[in-house]
Structure formats: structure tokens, C-alpha cells
Amino acid sequence: MRAFLLMSYYVYIIQSQLDGTYYKGSSENPVRRVMDHNLGKSSYTAVKSPWKLVYVEELPNKREMLIRERNLKRGNSDYFFYLIHSERNIAYKFS
């Protein structure tokens, strides 16, 4: 029960090292999720591997994580560039 209370929720942005495109997602474990993308476990991202984790943001609960992910998917590359270089980006904690 205690582990459930300490669960964290994240949205992430990964960037294809093949062509520079971005993919936005959500996960309770963004590092494992990036590994899954790089292992081809997602058909959408498999063709643009390898991927690099460039943005991570922690959210307080699953509902807010899913709302934030939906909003990220509406963004453009200028907005992603801003986020990647912002103080809210905690991707360095996962390196």
C-alpha cells in the first residue's frame, strides 16, 4: 500500500536521433519506456530509432498526467524546444 502512495507520474518527450522528430508520451517509468521505444516495442516509434529522452515533467496524479500528455500532443517543435530548455524539465534526473 505504501508504494502505491509514493507512485510518480510523468510525461516525457523523446527525440528521434534518426530525423529529429519528437514523440510525446506518459509513463510511471520514463526510462523504461524509452528503452521500450528503442527496442521496437511501439510500432509507431520503431521505424525512427534510436530515441533520446529530452524532456520529463512530473505530475501529481494519473489524471493530470493524462491531461498534460494530451496537451503536449497538440504542441509544435518551437514549444518543445522551449520546454526542453525550461526549468521544469527534469530529464537530467533520469540520465
Side-chain angles (χ1 to χ4, degrees), residues 43-61:
S43 59
Y44 186 83
T45 58
V47 296
K48 295 187 178 189
S49 273
W51 294 89
K52 179 181 177 183
L53 185 64
V54 294
Y55 180 78
V56 178
E57 180 181 339
E58 187 172 6
L59 285 300
N61 57 57

Side-chain angles (χ1 to χ4, degrees), residues 48-81:
K48 295 187 178 189
S49 273
W51 294 89
K52 179 181 177 183
L53 185 64
V54 294
Y55 180 78
V56 178
E57 180 181 339
E58 187 172 6
L59 285 300
N61 57 57
K62 189 171 185 173
R63 181 179 183 277
E64 289 191 37
M65 175 188 74
L66 295 172
I67 291 169
R68 181 67 172 137
E69 178 186 12
R70 184 175 55 226
N71 290 333
L72 279 179
K73 290 185 183 280
R74 296 179 185 152
N76 61 34
S77 58
D78 290 336
Y79 180 59
F80 302 143
F81 182 84

Side-chain angles (χ1 to χ4, degrees), residues 10-24:
Y10 302 94
V11 292
Y12 64 89
I13 300 173
I14 54 178
Q15 186 174 27
S16 169
Q17 300 303 284
L18 184 66
D19 67 2
T21 57
Y22 295 105
Y23 176 86
K24 292 74 61 184

